[in-house]
Short mmCIF file of all heavy atoms in Angstrom, two decimals:
data_model
loop_
_atom_site.label_atom_id
_atom_site.label_comp_id
_atom_site.label_asym_id
_atom_site.label_seq_id
_atom_site.Cartn_x
_atom_site.Cartn_y
_atom_site.Cartn_z
N HIS O 1 -37.58 138.47 126.12
CA HIS O 1 -37.73 138.17 124.70
C HIS O 1 -39.16 138.35 124.22
O HIS O 1 -39.44 138.17 123.05
CB HIS O 1 -37.23 136.76 124.40
CG HIS O 1 -38.04 135.69 125.08
ND1 HIS O 1 -37.99 135.45 126.42
CD2 HIS O 1 -38.94 134.82 124.58
CE1 HIS O 1 -38.81 134.46 126.73
NE2 HIS O 1 -39.39 134.06 125.63
N GLY O 2 -40.09 138.71 125.08
CA GLY O 2 -41.45 139.01 124.68
C GLY O 2 -42.39 137.82 124.69
O GLY O 2 -43.56 137.95 124.38
N GLY O 3 -41.93 136.63 125.04
CA GLY O 3 -42.79 135.46 125.11
C GLY O 3 -43.33 135.27 126.50
O GLY O 3 -43.11 136.09 127.39
N ALA O 4 -44.04 134.20 126.70
CA ALA O 4 -44.54 133.90 128.04
C ALA O 4 -43.37 133.61 128.96
O ALA O 4 -42.36 133.07 128.54
CB ALA O 4 -45.49 132.70 128.00
N ARG O 5 -43.51 133.98 130.18
CA ARG O 5 -42.47 133.69 131.17
C ARG O 5 -42.56 132.21 131.51
O ARG O 5 -43.57 131.72 131.98
CB ARG O 5 -42.70 134.54 132.42
CG ARG O 5 -41.70 134.28 133.51
CD ARG O 5 -41.93 135.24 134.64
NE ARG O 5 -43.30 135.16 135.09
CZ ARG O 5 -43.66 134.74 136.29
NH1 ARG O 5 -42.77 134.35 137.16
NH2 ARG O 5 -44.91 134.73 136.65
N LEU O 6 -41.50 131.49 131.24
CA LEU O 6 -41.47 130.06 131.53
C LEU O 6 -40.87 129.85 132.90
O LEU O 6 -39.82 130.37 133.21
CB LEU O 6 -40.68 129.31 130.46
CG LEU O 6 -41.22 129.46 129.04
CD1 LEU O 6 -40.33 128.72 128.07
CD2 LEU O 6 -42.64 128.97 128.95
N SER O 7 -41.53 129.06 133.70
CA SER O 7 -41.14 128.88 135.09
C SER O 7 -39.92 127.98 135.24
O SER O 7 -39.82 126.95 134.60
CB SER O 7 -42.31 128.30 135.87
OG SER O 7 -41.93 128.05 137.20
N GLN O 8 -39.02 128.37 136.11
CA GLN O 8 -37.89 127.53 136.49
C GLN O 8 -38.09 127.01 137.91
O GLN O 8 -37.55 126.00 138.28
CB GLN O 8 -36.60 128.36 136.44
CG GLN O 8 -36.34 129.00 135.09
CD GLN O 8 -35.54 128.10 134.17
OE1 GLN O 8 -34.75 127.31 134.63
NE2 GLN O 8 -35.75 128.23 132.88
N GLU O 9 -38.82 127.73 138.70
CA GLU O 9 -39.06 127.38 140.10
C GLU O 9 -40.37 126.61 140.22
O GLU O 9 -41.35 126.94 139.56
CB GLU O 9 -39.15 128.65 140.95
CG GLU O 9 -37.90 129.49 140.93
CD GLU O 9 -36.71 128.81 141.58
OE1 GLU O 9 -36.91 128.12 142.59
OE2 GLU O 9 -35.61 128.97 141.07
N PRO O 10 -40.44 125.60 141.09
CA PRO O 10 -41.67 124.82 141.21
C PRO O 10 -42.86 125.62 141.74
O PRO O 10 -44.00 125.29 141.44
CB PRO O 10 -41.30 123.69 142.17
CG PRO O 10 -40.03 124.10 142.82
CD PRO O 10 -39.38 125.11 141.94
N ASP O 11 -42.63 126.68 142.50
CA ASP O 11 -43.73 127.45 143.05
C ASP O 11 -44.21 128.56 142.11
O ASP O 11 -45.24 129.17 142.36
CB ASP O 11 -43.33 128.08 144.39
CG ASP O 11 -43.19 127.03 145.49
OD1 ASP O 11 -43.70 125.91 145.30
OD2 ASP O 11 -42.56 127.32 146.51
N GLU O 12 -43.46 128.82 141.06
CA GLU O 12 -43.83 129.88 140.14
C GLU O 12 -44.79 129.35 139.08
O GLU O 12 -44.68 128.21 138.64
CB GLU O 12 -42.60 130.45 139.46
CG GLU O 12 -41.74 131.28 140.38
CD GLU O 12 -40.66 132.03 139.62
OE1 GLU O 12 -40.87 132.34 138.44
OE2 GLU O 12 -39.63 132.27 140.23
N PRO O 13 -45.74 130.18 138.63
CA PRO O 13 -46.66 129.75 137.57
C PRO O 13 -45.92 129.65 136.23
O PRO O 13 -44.86 130.26 136.04
CB PRO O 13 -47.70 130.86 137.54
CG PRO O 13 -47.02 132.06 138.11
CD PRO O 13 -46.02 131.53 139.11
N LEU O 14 -46.48 128.90 135.31
CA LEU O 14 -45.94 128.81 133.96
C LEU O 14 -46.05 130.16 133.26
O LEU O 14 -45.19 130.53 132.48
CB LEU O 14 -46.68 127.75 133.15
CG LEU O 14 -46.63 126.32 133.67
CD1 LEU O 14 -47.54 125.43 132.84
CD2 LEU O 14 -45.20 125.81 133.65
N ALA O 15 -47.13 130.87 133.53
CA ALA O 15 -47.38 132.19 132.93
C ALA O 15 -48.43 132.89 133.78
O ALA O 15 -49.08 132.27 134.62
CB ALA O 15 -47.87 132.03 131.50
N GLN O 16 -48.60 134.19 133.52
CA GLN O 16 -49.70 134.94 134.13
C GLN O 16 -50.55 135.52 133.01
O GLN O 16 -50.03 135.97 131.99
CB GLN O 16 -49.17 136.08 135.00
CG GLN O 16 -48.62 135.60 136.31
CD GLN O 16 -48.31 136.75 137.25
OE1 GLN O 16 -47.88 137.80 136.82
NE2 GLN O 16 -48.54 136.52 138.52
N VAL O 17 -51.85 135.47 133.21
CA VAL O 17 -52.81 135.94 132.22
C VAL O 17 -53.75 136.92 132.91
O VAL O 17 -54.17 136.70 134.04
CB VAL O 17 -53.63 134.74 131.66
CG1 VAL O 17 -54.69 135.21 130.70
CG2 VAL O 17 -52.71 133.74 131.00
N GLU O 18 -54.05 138.00 132.21
CA GLU O 18 -55.05 138.93 132.72
C GLU O 18 -56.30 138.83 131.86
O GLU O 18 -56.22 138.85 130.63
CB GLU O 18 -54.51 140.36 132.71
CG GLU O 18 -53.48 140.59 133.77
CD GLU O 18 -53.11 142.06 133.89
OE1 GLU O 18 -53.34 142.82 132.94
OE2 GLU O 18 -52.60 142.44 134.95
N LEU O 19 -57.45 138.71 132.51
CA LEU O 19 -58.74 138.66 131.82
C LEU O 19 -59.49 139.95 132.09
O LEU O 19 -59.58 140.40 133.24
CB LEU O 19 -59.60 137.50 132.34
CG LEU O 19 -59.11 136.09 132.09
CD1 LEU O 19 -60.08 135.10 132.72
CD2 LEU O 19 -58.96 135.82 130.63
N LEU O 20 -60.02 140.53 131.05
CA LEU O 20 -60.92 141.66 131.20
C LEU O 20 -62.33 141.11 131.20
O LEU O 20 -62.78 140.51 130.23
CB LEU O 20 -60.75 142.67 130.05
CG LEU O 20 -61.78 143.79 130.01
CD1 LEU O 20 -61.74 144.64 131.28
CD2 LEU O 20 -61.57 144.65 128.77
N LEU O 21 -63.01 141.25 132.32
CA LEU O 21 -64.38 140.76 132.47
C LEU O 21 -65.34 141.92 132.31
O LEU O 21 -65.15 142.99 132.93
CB LEU O 21 -64.57 140.11 133.83
CG LEU O 21 -63.60 138.98 134.17
CD1 LEU O 21 -63.78 138.56 135.62
CD2 LEU O 21 -63.80 137.82 133.23
N LEU O 22 -66.35 141.74 131.48
CA LEU O 22 -67.38 142.76 131.26
C LEU O 22 -68.71 142.21 131.76
O LEU O 22 -69.13 141.12 131.36
CB LEU O 22 -67.47 143.11 129.78
CG LEU O 22 -66.20 143.64 129.13
CD1 LEU O 22 -66.41 143.81 127.63
CD2 LEU O 22 -65.77 144.95 129.77
N PHE O 23 -69.39 142.99 132.60
CA PHE O 23 -70.66 142.58 133.17
C PHE O 23 -71.75 143.57 132.76
O PHE O 23 -71.64 144.76 133.00
CB PHE O 23 -70.58 142.55 134.70
CG PHE O 23 -69.55 141.59 135.22
CD1 PHE O 23 -68.27 142.01 135.53
CD2 PHE O 23 -69.87 140.25 135.40
CE1 PHE O 23 -67.32 141.14 136.01
CE2 PHE O 23 -68.93 139.35 135.87
CZ PHE O 23 -67.66 139.80 136.18
N HIS O 24 -72.78 143.04 132.11
CA HIS O 24 -73.94 143.84 131.72
C HIS O 24 -75.08 142.86 131.45
O HIS O 24 -74.84 141.79 130.87
CB HIS O 24 -73.62 144.65 130.46
CG HIS O 24 -74.64 145.71 130.17
ND1 HIS O 24 -75.86 145.43 129.62
CD2 HIS O 24 -74.60 147.05 130.36
CE1 HIS O 24 -76.55 146.55 129.47
NE2 HIS O 24 -75.81 147.55 129.92
N PRO O 25 -76.31 143.19 131.84
CA PRO O 25 -77.42 142.25 131.60
C PRO O 25 -77.57 141.83 130.14
O PRO O 25 -77.93 140.69 129.84
CB PRO O 25 -78.66 143.02 132.07
CG PRO O 25 -78.13 144.01 133.05
CD PRO O 25 -76.75 144.37 132.57
N ARG O 26 -77.26 142.72 129.21
CA ARG O 26 -77.40 142.39 127.79
C ARG O 26 -76.28 141.47 127.27
O ARG O 26 -76.35 141.01 126.15
CB ARG O 26 -77.44 143.66 126.95
CG ARG O 26 -78.69 144.45 127.20
CD ARG O 26 -78.82 145.60 126.23
NE ARG O 26 -79.99 146.38 126.56
CZ ARG O 26 -80.06 147.68 126.43
NH1 ARG O 26 -79.02 148.37 125.97
NH2 ARG O 26 -81.16 148.32 126.75
N LEU O 27 -75.27 141.23 128.08
CA LEU O 27 -74.18 140.34 127.68
C LEU O 27 -74.43 138.90 128.10
O LEU O 27 -73.62 138.03 127.81
CB LEU O 27 -72.85 140.82 128.28
CG LEU O 27 -72.36 142.18 127.80
CD1 LEU O 27 -71.09 142.57 128.54
CD2 LEU O 27 -72.13 142.18 126.30
N GLN O 28 -75.54 138.64 128.76
CA GLN O 28 -75.83 137.29 129.22
C GLN O 28 -76.65 136.56 128.17
O GLN O 28 -77.30 137.16 127.33
CB GLN O 28 -76.57 137.34 130.54
CG GLN O 28 -75.72 138.02 131.60
CD GLN O 28 -76.18 137.71 132.99
OE1 GLN O 28 -77.03 136.87 133.20
NE2 GLN O 28 -75.60 138.39 133.95
N GLY O 29 -76.60 135.25 128.20
CA GLY O 29 -77.41 134.46 127.29
C GLY O 29 -76.64 133.89 126.12
O GLY O 29 -77.24 133.45 125.16
N GLY O 30 -75.33 133.90 126.16
CA GLY O 30 -74.54 133.29 125.11
C GLY O 30 -74.05 134.27 124.07
O GLY O 30 -74.41 135.45 124.08
N PRO O 31 -73.21 133.79 123.17
CA PRO O 31 -72.61 134.67 122.17
C PRO O 31 -73.63 135.16 121.16
O PRO O 31 -74.45 134.40 120.66
CB PRO O 31 -71.56 133.80 121.49
CG PRO O 31 -71.73 132.43 121.98
CD PRO O 31 -72.72 132.43 123.09
N ARG O 32 -73.60 136.43 120.89
CA ARG O 32 -74.44 137.06 119.87
C ARG O 32 -73.89 138.46 119.63
O ARG O 32 -73.04 138.95 120.36
CB ARG O 32 -75.90 137.11 120.31
CG ARG O 32 -76.13 137.97 121.54
CD ARG O 32 -77.62 137.99 121.89
NE ARG O 32 -77.86 138.85 123.01
CZ ARG O 32 -77.63 138.56 124.27
NH1 ARG O 32 -77.12 137.40 124.59
NH2 ARG O 32 -77.89 139.41 125.24
N ARG O 33 -74.38 139.10 118.61
CA ARG O 33 -73.94 140.45 118.28
C ARG O 33 -74.46 141.43 119.33
O ARG O 33 -75.64 141.42 119.66
CB ARG O 33 -74.43 140.82 116.89
CG ARG O 33 -73.82 142.08 116.37
CD ARG O 33 -74.22 142.27 114.90
NE ARG O 33 -73.54 143.40 114.37
CZ ARG O 33 -72.41 143.33 113.69
NH1 ARG O 33 -71.85 142.17 113.47
NH2 ARG O 33 -71.84 144.41 113.23
N VAL O 34 -73.54 142.26 119.84
CA VAL O 34 -73.89 143.22 120.89
C VAL O 34 -73.48 144.61 120.43
O VAL O 34 -72.42 144.79 119.84
CB VAL O 34 -73.16 142.85 122.22
CG1 VAL O 34 -73.46 143.87 123.30
CG2 VAL O 34 -73.55 141.46 122.67
N ALA O 35 -74.33 145.58 120.72
CA ALA O 35 -74.05 146.96 120.32
C ALA O 35 -72.84 147.51 121.09
O ALA O 35 -72.65 147.17 122.26
CB ALA O 35 -75.27 147.84 120.59
N PRO O 36 -72.03 148.33 120.44
CA PRO O 36 -70.86 148.92 121.13
C PRO O 36 -71.23 149.68 122.40
O PRO O 36 -70.47 149.72 123.35
CB PRO O 36 -70.26 149.86 120.09
CG PRO O 36 -70.76 149.37 118.77
CD PRO O 36 -72.09 148.74 119.05
N GLU O 37 -72.42 150.27 122.43
CA GLU O 37 -72.86 151.02 123.62
C GLU O 37 -73.00 150.09 124.82
O GLU O 37 -72.79 150.51 125.96
CB GLU O 37 -74.19 151.73 123.36
CG GLU O 37 -74.16 152.75 122.24
CD GLU O 37 -74.29 152.13 120.86
OE1 GLU O 37 -74.96 151.08 120.70
OE2 GLU O 37 -73.69 152.69 119.93
N THR O 38 -73.37 148.85 124.58
CA THR O 38 -73.50 147.88 125.66
C THR O 38 -72.13 147.60 126.27
O THR O 38 -71.98 147.57 127.49
CB THR O 38 -74.14 146.58 125.16
OG1 THR O 38 -75.42 146.89 124.60
CG2 THR O 38 -74.31 145.58 126.29
#
């Protein structure tokens, strides 16, 4: 149905999430405006 998969089994997770992690020295130091090239 397109929603999160709700677990019926005790060993199964409630849902699975994928995170896209971006690593670059200019991305450190908290939220701020970053150039698309970064």
Side-chain angles (χ1 to χ4, degrees):
H1 65 287
R5 179 175 54 115
L6 301 178
S7 177
Q8 304 270 330
E9 300 293 323
D11 290 343
E12 288 190 29
L14 299 174
Q16 285 189 323
V17 176
E18 288 189 339
L19 295 178
L20 172 60
L21 304 173
L22 301 174
F23 299 95
H24 193 283
R26 292 188 184 145
L27 295 176
Q28 299 199 9
R32 64 178 183 283
R33 190 172 185 95
V34 178
E37 299 81 31
T38 302

